Amino acid sequence: MNEKTEWIDEVHKGSRYGLKGKIITKINSRYQEIIILETNSFGKALMLDGCWMTSDKEEKYYHECLVHPALSSLEEISNILIIGGGDGGTARECLKYKKVLKVDLVEIDEEVIRVSKKYLTSIGKNSWNDKRLKIHICDGFQWIKNIQDNYYDVILLDISDPSEFSKELFGKNFYKECKRIIKEKGILATQSESPESFEEIHINIIKSLRDLFQNTYTMYSFVPFYPSGIWSWTFASKDENFFFKRSK
Ligand code: SPD
């Protein structure tokens, strides 16, 4: 194994967000550069195309905010769709609920799943072996286009920052398709970037969802190693406002 430690930075608008550690894997998949860095302070960290995605230390700050506001608001959940989420953290949080019967995890890059299963074991934990989890290596937009109307109870968009191959997943056409396949009482939850470091994208996500859905709600919290540290998650539903009503 490489014993050399080095600084790896996410460079964003003239600022650097760095961790020091040993690179334990660095590969170019069909879609992106994937790095796993082993650090003393954050455990193992995953970077995709120069952007920090998750780390052993901070993953809970992100995954819990994406999953629990939506899942704890619904009494019955037969099926969930996760777009992205190849590190397994979002699936792990969903599978904590006994009421969840099936989780379709649609990840475009199977290499992300492979390295996450191998190195980020404390993130995916046993969720990879849970029979309710179905993994599909597929483009998220294509997957959604092939799903019947009113099918999912919850859609969770656990996607990376907009890039050449993921930018469609931040557009109104994509959200329209999500709305079509969510049940009347279902919830769409998406990571909605940072109001500080990704202000324009953040506002566009919220505006697009507000135009399409009856109810939207944006929540802010902290993921300190993401650019600027402040992050957001937006929840949208078609009908009544189900958010944050605790289920029994
Ligand atoms: N800049 C970070 C954007 C985070 C998006 N998803 C993270 C994946 C964690 N499952």
Side-chain angles (χ1 to χ4, degrees), residues 1-4 22-24 38:
M1 196 210 285
N2 175 16
E3 286 306 311
K4 199 176 95 196
K22 286 179 222 159
I23 293 182
I24 54 175
E38 183 156 38

Side-chain angles (χ1 to χ4, degrees), residues 52-54 62-63 87 90 158-161 191 226-227 231:
W52 292 118
M53 287 296 123
T54 197
Y62 172 94
H63 293 122
D87 54 58
T90 295
D158 184 10
I159 47 191
S160 44
D161 305 309
Q191 73 94 351
Y226 287 172
W231 212 255

Side-chain angles (χ1 to χ4, degrees), residues 16 25 38 62 75 85 94 108 113 150 163 202 248:
R16 292 164 25 158
T25 195
E38 183 156 38
Y62 172 94
E75 292 198 3
C94 291
I108 195 167
I113 295 183
N150 303 313
S163 67
H202 171 69
K248 289 164 207 139

Side-chain angles (χ1 to χ4, degrees), residues 110-126:
E110 63 186 323
E111 283 299 297
V112 174
I113 295 183
R114 188 185 65 76
V115 300
S116 300
K117 279 183 174 173
K118 185 165 179 188
Y119 299 110
L120 303 178
T121 48
S122 72
I123 297 183
K125 292 194 172 146
N126 287 330

Side-chain angles (χ1 to χ4, degrees), residues 5-220:
T5 62
E6 55 192 291
W7 281 98
I8 301 289
D9 296 329
E10 175 171 348
V11 178
H12 184 73
K13 292 185 182 167
S15 298
R16 292 164 25 158
Y17 301 86
L19 294 177
K20 193 177 184 195
K22 286 179 222 159
I23 293 182
I24 54 175
T25 195
K26 181 176 182 173
I27 53 167
N28 283 301
S29 73
R30 192 173 151 199
Y31 298 100
Q32 56 204 338
E33 181 191 70
I34 303 174
I35 294 177
I36 300 278
L37 187 74
E38 183 156 38
T39 73
N40 285 334
S41 47
F42 283 69
K44 295 195 183 74
L46 169 68
M47 176 178 261
L48 298 181
D49 267 351
C51 300
W52 292 118
M53 287 296 123
T54 197
S55 71
D56 288 338
K57 182 180 174 205
E58 297 200 344
E59 59 87 14
K60 57 184 173 294
Y61 304 146
Y62 172 94
H63 293 122
E64 291 182 3
C65 287
L66 178 66
V67 172
H68 298 306
L71 269 68
S72 60
S73 298
L74 294 173
E75 292 198 3
E76 283 176 24
I77 305 178
S78 345
N79 56 12
I80 294 177
L81 171 63
I82 300 172
I83 301 287
D87 54 58
T90 295
R92 179 200 70 216
E93 289 305 308
C94 291
L95 293 165
K96 285 180 177 171
Y97 292 78
K98 289 200 177 75
K99 61 189 174 185
V100 169
L101 302 181
K102 182 170 79 116
V103 176
D104 284 321
L105 189 156
V106 177
E107 165 64 59
I108 195 167
D109 192 344
E110 63 186 323
E111 283 299 297
V112 174
I113 295 183
R114 188 185 65 76
V115 300
S116 300
K117 279 183 174 173
K118 185 165 179 188
Y119 299 110
L120 303 178
T121 48
S122 72
I123 297 183
K125 292 194 172 146
N126 287 330
S127 58
W128 299 118
N129 303 320
D130 191 309
K131 292 205 165 29
R132 294 172 293 166
L133 180 65
K134 312 286 174 207
I135 295 169
H136 312 275
I137 304 301
C138 173
D139 174 84
F141 208 163
Q142 284 312 317
W143 178 268
I144 285 180
K145 281 178 184 161
N146 290 324
I147 299 292
Q148 69 198 62
D149 295 358
N150 303 313
Y151 184 73
Y152 287 107
D153 295 290
V154 178
I155 299 180
L156 300 161
L157 304 179
D158 184 10
I159 47 191
S160 44
D161 305 309
S163 67
E164 254 332 284
F165 77 87
S166 70
K167 65 181 182 207
E168 279 203 311
L169 304 183
F170 291 84
K172 216 163 171 182
N173 287 340
F174 176 68
Y175 295 140
K176 265 188 201 157
E177 281 295 286
C178 289
K179 183 179 177 192
R180 179 183 66 73
I181 64 167
I182 288 185
K183 289 180 186 165
E184 281 310 308
K185 294 190 174 183
I187 296 178
L188 168 76
T190 183
Q191 73 94 351
S192 44
E193 303 285 328
S194 165
E196 204 285 326
S197 52
F198 291 87
E199 186 183 357
E200 200 183 323
I201 306 167
H202 171 69
I203 290 171
N204 281 341
I205 293 169
I206 296 171
K207 275 189 180 161
S208 302
L209 290 172
R210 274 194 193 155
D211 283 351
L212 290 168
F213 288 84
Q214 194 74 14
N215 296 293
T216 63
Y217 183 90
T218 300
M219 181 175 98
Y220 296 89

